[in-house]
Amino acid sequence: MGEMEQMKKEAEALKTQIEAARKAVHDTDMASAASGVAPAPRVQLKTRRNLKGHLAKIYAMHWSTDNRLMVSASQDGKLLIWDSHSGNKVNAVPLKSSWVMTCAYAPSGNLVASGGLDNMCTVYNLKTPVIKTVKELDAHTGYLSCARFLSDTEVLTASGDTTCALWDLETGKQKTVFLNHVGDCMCLSLSPDMNSFVSGACDSLAKLWDIRDGQCKQTFLGHTSDINAISFYPGGNAIITGSDDCTCKMYDLRADQELITYQDAALNSGVTSLALSMSGRLIFAGYDDFNCNIWDSLKGEKVGVLSGHDNRVSCTGVPPDGMCVCTGSWDSFLKIWN
Amino acid sequence: MAQPSSCAQSSNGVADESPNMLVYRKMEDIIARMQDEKNGIPIRTVKSFLSKIPSVFSVCVSVRLCVAVEALHLGTLMAAHGYFFPISDHVLMLKDDGTFYRFQTPYFWPSNCWEPENTDYAVYLCKRTMQNKARLELADYEAESLARLQRAFARKWEFIFMQAEAQAKVDKKRDKIERKILDSQERAFWDVHRPVPGCVNTTEADIKKSSRMKQPHKTRKSVYGLQNDIRSHSPTHTPAPDAKEPVLLSSLQIQHWQTQLDRHRLKMSKVAESLLSFSEQYIEYDPFFTTPEPSNPWISDDVTSWELEASKEAGQQRVKRWGFCFDEVLKDPVGREQFLRFLESEFSSENLRFWLAVQELKKRPIREVPSRVQEIWDEFLAPGAPSAINVDSRSYDKTTQNIKDPGRYAFQDAQEHIYKLMKSDSYSRFIRSSAYQEMLQAKKKVKPLKRLETAI
């Protein structure tokens, strides 16, 4: 037996042991534990704002930390910065490549970033008299599926080349490369304490990474198809994932396993995006079937639907103060609900 | 007609299938149940004005409204993907009004990964013009498409015309009823792949999925068996980089699994309890559950809530949050201020000031880092430092090493030690202090401090 074969056997043995260890602490399931909790009231949200301005499919959106401004990216080749409360477009950033897949707002509000099929993450300064490109982060060998700012000096990216990377914005170089996924990385989410992040990929796995040492700390299994969306639960002890297998799942980092699956027999389309309400109790998940479904994260029940888009919901976001939820769609509109 | 091949499955099975396949299989399960001879939907031939309409069903939804809405939504989705269609409309949706629908033949199912070319569409439209039947007349958008295709394929139009003629001949030979059914199914196929302008194209792929490293095998055969020499190529896909250094990668994986195995796991019951209590604590701060004071700016259009949050005054609710955990104090600028004030009264403010300085250091531009590291060292850790902090010897030694090659994380160990110290010691005293209790009971209004909050 070759070395490779032996290693494969060893890896399989370890995985079996991990499964056994997980089963050993599985003394209850979330649904039973939450049976005593009052059900979330049936949620009926109204559209408070309808933001029109993009001319083609919207692929991504991200709230600013000031709870009012947001950035959205569309295949019409533009990033739009909105004062979503007034509905005004504050800025328009023309993109070099219209095949954009992600956008991000820096916590300081000074910078925004975008990326996509050009394999690059481009960072723009919003505070100069004319919006300037600050840096083009170019080292990935696959499309850029997600980007997030840690600060005005560091950016995290997830790419179709199966890696994630931490970049230094001054040098424009990768400081750390996170290697472990075997499928395209589709999404990432920063932990509240900014010391770690989780990523979801086409290998149907979610992984937890330590930002400082670049190591993959935990791997979460369970999905049977690409994970398109991922988010940390407030508090930083659990994560929620959304997948093409039409389900969302909650994994707990301390129990090292899946707690709940959010699924429904009538739901026959993949999850494209998700966002959590500020307490984590509600999950807003966007689906391919043009709706955004609302789940009670503790009881695993569907408690509402946001219907109104004429095409697939591609992105969702809840601002830091949790006052509303925004959905963006291939129908070129952004809607704000609460 | 040429036989399509179904999507290739790699040796690993699941992960290599197109993500849509899962969805198609679910829909096909439902179709199978709908078509079940005993318990499925009754399919019949309906007598119409001059002729018979073969093989149709109609929809009558007789359940509660919310279920009906969901049922129609699901049905419309399945129609939009092409599993069944209204017999006399190009727009693929399901309506509860007696409209007749027909099932699509499995040959045309989307799970066969069809990617029909424009040459096929040209043959189809051309064929339609050859059949003198009112019901087969081209719609406006189809006529436009045909004109466009004629211009695009001007040089090979003779070839396309011949193919269309041949297809039309074959069709004529079929039984009348069979023809009616097949014609409608073929039309429905094209309604999916060349939808009416304004309708959603369900075959549109997310660019992320079409750029995936592992490409599902797309059907390259023509719908009408054409040998196409100008077939466009599917997006270039580089074969997945198969383990660059297989042994090295595998041993890293084994290390990873070993680390994961050695993790300490908490019991599910404990974890569930902690999540439930977190939710309970924060639900009153969640605007989706508790109406914010004075109002939600998105509903009332009044931005007072935001102004209050930004101001230095902290209401009772905000003060209450600081009691949940130490991180809440550190997150809120007003909380930090009050905590700092408290520490000053205990003569231990250097701990918080150090922690804040290190946090700020992590965001500095790299060129400023070395000098800042030196400043922090001089102020807090050097022998005889003015704001000397107490760290354990291990962290102290490590930090001494780190500052020789100063980076953003030079003080990480010391910072963690100080954080734990404040959390277990000063924080609990702060929460029990009369200053905090008075703020909590709103006996004293929390006013902004006069001096600026700086790290040193």
Side-chain angles (χ1 to χ4, degrees), chain A residues 206-208 216-220 252-253 256, chain B residues 256 260 263:
Chain A
K207 288 182 184 282
L208 173 74
C216 171
K217 296 296 186 199
Q218 277 175 274
T219 300
F220 300 97
D252 188 281
L253 304 185
D256 188 40
Chain B
H256 169 65
Q260 187 150 6
R263 278 189 70 85

Side-chain angles (χ1 to χ4, degrees), chain A residues 174-189:
Chain A
Q174 289 180 330
K175 286 206 311 194
T176 319
V177 182
F178 302 91
L179 298 162
N180 204 293
H181 277 298
V182 294
D184 310 17
C185 294
M186 299 295 276
C187 51
L188 65 87
S189 172

Side-chain angles (χ1 to χ4, degrees), chain B residues 395-449:
Chain B
S395 305
Y396 193 83
D397 291 336
K398 247 192 149 184
T399 314
T400 318
Q401 285 301 314
N402 288 346
I403 58 161
K404 291 188 182 148
D405 182 19
R408 288 202 183 99
Y409 294 102
F411 297 107
Q412 195 65 17
D413 296 281
Q415 194 193 28
E416 272 165 24
H417 179 88
I418 292 294
Y419 173 85
K420 286 191 190 127
L421 197 65
M422 288 194 288
K423 184 173 173 179
S424 58
D425 193 36
S426 325
Y427 171 67
S428 34
R429 283 205 301 280
F430 170 63
I431 296 303
R432 291 196 304 266
S433 73
S434 53
Y436 177 75
Q437 289 300 325
E438 278 167 25
M439 278 187 270
L440 192 59
Q441 265 122 50
K443 284 197 191 134
K444 210 169 70 175
K445 213 167 183 210
V446 180
K447 284 219 191 95
L449 295 180

Side-chain angles (χ1 to χ4, degrees), chain A residues 27 170 219 228 244 277 279 321, chain B residues 209 256 269 286 297 306 366:
Chain A
D27 58 346
E170 282 179 286
T219 300
N228 297 322
D244 269 335
S277 77
S279 67
D321 66 1
Chain B
K209 305 295 174 173
H256 169 65
S269 47
D286 189 335
W306 282 331
I366 215 78

Side-chain angles (χ1 to χ4, degrees), chain A residues 233-287:
Chain A
Y233 203 75
N237 287 319
I239 61 171
I240 314 276
T241 52
S243 161
D244 269 335
D245 65 10
C246 314
T247 69
C248 294
K249 287 180 190 285
M250 181 198 280
Y251 296 93
D252 188 281
L253 304 185
R254 299 159 297 183
D256 188 40
Q257 59 190 287
E258 179 188 322
L259 289 184
I260 309 188
T261 298
Y262 308 95
Q263 65 188 345
D264 189 303
L267 282 177
N268 274 344
S269 27
V271 180
T272 59
S273 51
L274 59 88
L276 298 175
S277 77
M278 186 255 178
S279 67
R281 186 68 193 268
L282 296 178
I283 301 173
F284 301 96
Y287 288 73

